[in-house]
Amino acid sequence: MPFESTREEYRDRFTCGFDQARSIFDPCLSNALEKLGSNKAMDDFLQGANLLCMMGQGVEPVLVYLEEAPDTAALVGEAMIDELAYYAYKLATSTNAPAVVPFLQSMLPVARRLECGEAMQGFLDLGLEVMRETTPSIHGHHAIHPSPALDRFFETAPRVLALLNLAGLTNWARFGARVHASDPDALKAYFSLESADSRSVLQRECHGTLLTDNERRLGYYLQALWGDDEPLVPYPTFEAEIPQRPYFDEHGLRVPDLFDDRGDIPGIDRYRALLAHMMAHRQWSETIVADNYSPMQRLAMEVFEDARVEYLAMARYPGLRRLFRALHPRVAEGDCDPARQSCVNHRLMMLSRALLDPGGHGYADAVIDAFAARFHERMARGETGTRDAVALGMAFMARSRRPSDSFAEVWFPPERVEFRDDNRHLWRFIEEGDEEELFDRHAARAEDDEPGRDYALPPRLYPEWDVEARLYRPDWVSVFDSLHPSGRAAHVDGLLEKHQGLVKQLRQVADLLKPQNRERIRYQEEGGELDLDVAIRAMIDRRSGVEPDPRVNMSHRPAERDISVSLLVDLSASIAERPEGSSQTILELSQTAVSLLGQAVEALGDPFAIAGFDSNTRHEVRYRHIKGFDEPWGTEVKARLAGMEAGMSTRMGAALRHAGHFLSHRRSDKKLLLVLTDGEPHDVDVRDPRRLIADAREAVKSLDADGIFTWCISLDPRADEYVADIFGQHYTVVDRVERLPEALPRLFMQITG
């Protein structure tokens, strides 16, 4: 529709006195006339610009508004023009004036994600909510300082919305505002995506396949199909402006922390394709000296080597062929213009597709077709190596090189081949220095490694309950698994010999607890007794002309106890203390008690696991396996039990969740988790002990909901002050610690009898 005012009239109505704003007004006016379709929208646009000029915040807000408001309105509706300027004015006239420019700069990228006026209004309302929750104030009414988080919220919102919808962004922002409202530094880190809980909440809100949820499943995939047990180390998919690429080195396989479903390919299959490609490189690729080749030659060699190892992988597992082809992007021959662009990447992308899909790539380029044929001919002969990829790469670049390859404007593919790593493992650079310097650098790196971290598996992450915010902090605690170091098994044998009388008593009690009944097993072709009911039915069937069931016998077997038991032992520093009136430390008494219990449970035949735990902040909860459920009570278990030693702190909630994780996979009807501890939960990074007590209580509730029964044996004479808050009525306080070796096995018999 024609506008009521002319350009000169619009220019006269723009009353801003900033020279910079007036110098860019004409091109911004042209953009507004093109993007806005009504006189009211143009009026609102000019009024908004004039309003921002009078705010006293300088020229930058006006410049951003003039340049981006029309494009924003074109995406989310012209009604938002006036709302955006008024919103900025509200920020400028409050203590949060520093957030005006970040807000205006976020308008257009947020609008591109939301593309809806209603959703944009929801985003603006969320910004006001973050401002209210995070702005310091007196009695909750009079703001005294700007919010430490609001400007960062607006800066980060476009990146978060690249992964989440508006509801996910709202949940992420509300969590940070509630949990860190009283900690300005934590607010800054959270809304800048720099803190662990910020990334964890963001990951939780993502609707895709999370590595943390499928890590063990993918680990089994690597071991079963590729015979490899390298740890999977996730990297955030949202941290960098330029997406990081997967790679592997001596520390493990670096893979994305999240994969969405792509069409009919689920995220878990995208992980499998990536890991299969990495495993193929690890098994069949060799290192190449990079200094001998140009960058373009190296790119071509990588394409041929990627295709070579994928060919070998598909020959071993043909199902990978469909997956690789579905995930490999397809580019058209006309996507790159050699008259003005360097098309090296374009040719290599077409070549990559042709090598993977020789019969269906559809490219007419004779060079690409010829080299695809040479590649498959060489692969069909067998016994290929990385040297073949080197030769083919050099020949391809020599044959396909064009003068336009040196143009400044370079064509880049719209998407990369996602299941391929960055190939850093292929190249060895010797130009950095001689061998002595390289050796010194590797030695220095080894010396910098923190001692004591001998874990073979990556940590398992668990949430932790925040008693003040009354919600879980997701992926807050890292639990590391390891086998407990061994000591002398003879030490445990000596303890059992010393308490031989008690061992005999416990064995007698165990014999009484063993099931005396027998179970009948029916429908057997061979058995010691005829099953009359089945035999009569078979006779009736035979006389009726129906084929009778030949399984007319039955047998019997002793009934079994269907219970799995896990004992979790507190190995914090306090167990090294010697209780008053006792000649032994708590550690020595615990070793004796656990040895007697292990001997008794072995006599009963119940699946039984033992583990110890201690912690050093939330970043390192050590979970040390002493005995597995299916591991016999023998020399190796006794040696680990003899090697028990005091550690650091007691982050009980995380240890309970980890023990419950193993128990939950047992198929027993009853699952019992016993906890042996000498004090209340605590850790060096937590000042208020109520936090870890509340977290342990929530862990017990979760275990109970999963059908896992917990019972605490406490050696703390003050345990009545807190143990009931965690375990309810399911606890026993051993007042005389020296009687623990006798009390622990008897308590187990009472609970399970």
Side-chain angles (χ1 to χ4, degrees):
M1 62 174 288
F3 292 100
E4 295 177 351
S5 302
T6 63
R7 284 179 173 270
E8 290 73 16
E9 290 173 332
Y10 283 130
R11 192 178 297 111
D12 293 339
R13 289 167 59 187
F14 181 57
T15 59
C16 184
F18 291 114
D19 293 337
Q20 287 178 274
R22 300 197 70 84
S23 66
I24 69 165
F25 181 74
D26 281 345
C28 292
L29 177 61
S30 299
N31 184 47
L33 291 170
E34 178 184 348
K35 298 295 175 60
L36 303 179
S38 68
N39 290 302
K40 183 180 185 310
M42 285 299 300
D43 292 341
D44 290 342
F45 172 62
L46 291 174
Q47 290 175 8
N50 291 332
L51 179 64
L52 295 180
C53 278
M54 297 184 295
M55 290 191 312
Q57 296 298 317
V59 69
E60 190 172 4
V62 189
L63 299 178
V64 177
Y65 181 84
L66 288 173
E67 291 175 348
E68 301 196 350
D71 296 288
T72 303
L75 290 168
V76 296
E78 295 179 353
M80 294 302 299
I81 281 278
D82 184 54
E83 181 65 28
L84 295 175
Y86 179 64
Y87 193 92
Y89 181 77
K90 284 195 294 187
L91 293 179
T93 54
S94 69
T95 58
N96 288 288
V100 170
V101 172
F103 160 67
L104 292 170
Q105 290 173 335
S106 73
M107 289 190 308
L108 185 55
V110 167
R112 289 193 182 110
R113 299 294 180 185
L114 299 180
E115 296 184 338
C116 169
E118 184 178 353
M120 190 69 179
Q121 185 60 55
F123 172 75
L124 299 181
D125 294 340
L126 177 61
L128 292 178
E129 182 180 340
V130 171
M131 181 177 71
R132 287 194 304 269
E133 295 292 332
T134 61
T135 301
S137 61
I138 300 175
H139 304 305
H141 297 289
H142 306 290
I144 53 176
H145 295 294
S147 164
L150 189 60
D151 54 344
R152 288 167 172 79
F153 167 74
F154 289 126
E155 292 169 356
T156 309
R159 292 169 57 193
V160 176
L161 284 172
L163 297 171
L164 308 181
N165 55 21
L166 182 59
L169 173 68
T170 301
N171 293 336
W172 173 78
R174 285 176 176 170
F175 182 95
R178 287 178 59 187
V179 172
H180 302 300
S182 59
D183 189 339
D185 292 334
L187 279 173
K188 293 176 183 178
Y190 184 92
F191 283 96
S192 301
L193 286 177
E194 295 174 355
S195 64
D197 57 339
S198 175
R199 295 191 291 267
S200 297
V201 175
L202 183 61
Q203 196 176 63
R204 182 185 66 184
E205 294 297 329
C206 290
H207 301 289
T209 301
L210 294 175
L211 179 65
T212 53
D213 294 338
N214 296 276
E215 187 174 338
R216 291 178 183 270
R217 183 179 177 186
L218 292 171
Y220 296 147
Y221 165 77
L222 289 177
Q223 293 178 16
L225 271 67
W226 299 98
D228 203 308
D229 59 356
E230 281 295 301
L232 302 179
V233 185
Y235 61 80
T237 53
F238 49 81
E239 276 195 340
E241 296 294 335
I242 301 176
Q244 187 174 343
R245 295 191 63 187
Y247 67 90
F248 61 86
D249 55 20
E250 66 273 16
H251 301 297
L253 311 177
R254 295 280 290 178
V255 296
D257 59 357
L258 169 74
F259 263 144
D260 286 321
D261 296 346
R262 173 163 292 186
D264 60 347
I265 301 176
I268 189 69
D269 282 349
R270 294 175 68 187
Y271 274 119
R272 291 190 179 111
L274 170 58
L275 294 177
H277 179 85
M278 286 181 164
M279 291 300 102
H281 271 307
R282 286 172 63 85
Q283 294 194 11
W284 296 306
S285 287
E286 302 170 10
T287 303
I288 311 169
V289 177
D291 306 76
N292 298 333
Y293 308 103
S294 70
M296 289 186 183
Q297 288 175 327
R298 293 204 298 266
L299 287 174
M301 293 173 191
E302 288 181 4
V303 170
F304 280 106
E305 181 64 1
D306 284 337
R308 186 184 73 85
V309 297
E310 286 165 9
Y311 183 98
L312 298 174
M314 291 184 293
R316 177 183 290 185
Y317 303 114
L320 289 172
R321 188 179 308 278
R322 179 195 66 84
L323 193 56
F324 284 154
R325 289 179 179 177
L327 292 174
H328 194 294
R330 183 188 297 271
V331 297
E333 286 192 80
D335 285 350
C336 183
D337 182 6
R340 62 182 182 83
Q341 290 178 300
S342 172
C343 296
V344 175
N345 292 326
H346 182 254
R347 292 200 304 276
L348 292 177
M349 183 65 81
M350 291 195 298
L351 172 66
S352 176
R353 180 75 198 190
L355 297 178
L356 182 63
D357 187 11
H361 61 81
Y363 297 129
D365 189 300
V367 176
I368 289 177
D369 196 53
F371 272 87
R374 286 174 60 179
F375 169 80
H376 285 283
E377 179 184 351
R378 188 167 299 194
M379 295 302 298
R381 292 201 303 263
E383 298 298 325
T384 64
T386 304
R387 62 186 181 280
D388 296 288
V390 171
L392 287 170
M394 291 182 64
F396 178 80
M397 290 309 300
R399 177 84 175 273
S400 66
R401 185 167 179 81
R402 302 173 182 174
S404 62
D405 289 349
S406 59
F407 283 2
E409 183 179 347
V410 179
W411 182 91
F412 290 101
E415 57 178 322
R416 57 180 176 80
V417 185
E418 64 174 39
F419 57 85
R420 290 178 179 171
D421 55 84
D422 65 2
N423 283 324
R424 68 180 62 186
H425 57 277
L426 286 178
W427 306 108
R428 179 165 60 91
F429 294 87
I430 61 175
E431 62 189 12
E432 297 176 343
D434 56 23
E435 290 77 8
E436 289 79 12
E437 291 175 343
L438 290 174
F439 177 82
D440 292 342
R441 186 159 58 252
H442 287 305
R445 186 184 306 142
E447 291 175 359
D448 290 339
D449 288 341
E450 186 175 348
R453 293 184 178 261
D454 55 346
Y455 311 111
L457 295 173
R460 188 173 184 86
L461 303 178
Y462 288 96
E464 187 169 274
W465 180 256
D466 190 315
V467 66
E468 296 174 352
R470 301 192 63 79
L471 46 75
Y472 278 106
R473 294 178 178 230
D475 297 343
W476 188 250
V477 185
S478 300
V479 180
F480 291 87
D481 284 286
S482 65
L483 276 179
H484 198 292
S486 298
R488 293 175 55 253
H491 176 66
V492 172
D493 290 330
L495 293 175
L496 295 173
E497 183 68 25
K498 181 179 178 181
H499 295 82
Q500 189 172 9
L502 184 56
V503 171
K504 290 181 179 179
Q505 294 178 21
L506 293 172
R507 187 173 293 129
Q508 292 173 357
V509 175
D511 290 339
L512 294 175
L513 287 176
K514 286 183 179 179
Q516 304 299 318
N517 299 327
R518 297 193 307 163
E519 293 180 349
R520 182 175 62 172
I521 307 175
R522 305 182 67 185
Y523 297 100
Q524 303 290 305
E525 292 191 16
E526 297 180 359
E529 189 176 341
L530 184 68
D531 190 335
L532 278 178
D533 292 338
V534 180
I536 292 172
R537 190 182 304 118
M539 183 64 69
I540 294 172
D541 289 342
R542 183 175 181 180
R543 291 186 177 181
S544 302
V546 179
E547 183 71 24
D549 191 338
R551 300 173 301 168
V552 296
N553 295 305
M554 63 180 179
S555 58
H556 294 83
R557 66 183 177 191
E560 297 181 355
R561 287 160 54 96
D562 194 9
I563 182 173
S564 293
V565 183
S566 181
L567 174 63
L568 189 58
V569 183
D570 176 3
L571 296 182
S572 59
S574 56
I575 66 170
E577 299 175 0
R578 196 183 307 274
E580 185 177 351
S582 175
S583 60
Q584 294 178 292
T585 64
I586 297 176
L587 172 60
E588 294 168 337
L589 292 168
S590 298
Q591 282 179 322
T592 304
V594 175
S595 301
L596 292 168
L597 178 60
Q599 190 87 345
V601 177
E602 178 73 8
L604 274 171
D606 295 335
F608 181 51
I610 308 172
F613 77 96
D614 69 311
S615 62
N616 179 23
T617 75
R618 68 182 180 89
H619 300 290
E620 188 180 6
V621 176
R622 295 180 284 247
Y623 191 94
R624 301 188 182 275
H625 296 267
I626 298 173
K627 180 186 181 300
F629 284 107
D630 299 321
E631 191 175 10
W633 176 261
T635 302
E636 292 185 2
V637 173
K638 292 177 182 178
R640 295 186 206 119
L641 191 57
M644 280 172 48
E645 57 185 14
M648 300 191 72
S649 300
T650 313
R651 209 173 195 106
M652 186 180 292
L656 286 169
R657 292 184 180 94
H658 200 53
H661 166 73
F662 292 111
L663 260 177
S664 65
H665 289 81
R666 305 296 302 177
R667 296 184 178 179
S668 305
D669 288 340
K670 298 178 182 178
K671 301 168 186 177
L672 172 63
L673 175 57
L674 295 175
V675 183
L676 176 60
T677 180
D678 70 318
E680 64 182 354
H682 71 283
D683 209 338
V684 293
D685 61 342
V686 179
R687 296 179 181 177
D688 187 355
R690 294 177 304 165
R691 287 185 54 187
L692 295 185
I693 290 174
D695 176 61
R697 179 178 65 246
E698 294 299 320
V700 170
K701 288 181 181 178
S702 299
L703 293 174
D704 184 61
D706 292 338
I708 298 174
F709 181 75
T710 57
W711 193 282
C712 176
I713 302 97
S714 178
L715 309 179
D716 184 2
R718 300 181 297 102
D720 292 317
E721 300 175 6
Y722 60 85
V723 71
D725 191 24
I726 299 175
F727 295 94
Q729 301 300 317
H730 303 152
Y731 70 92
T732 301
V733 178
V734 181
D735 294 321
R736 296 177 59 186
V737 180
E738 66 275 8
R739 299 195 61 181
L740 175 64
E742 178 183 353
L744 180 59
R746 292 192 182 279
L747 175 65
F748 170 79
M749 303 294 188
Q750 292 172 9
I751 295 174
T752 62

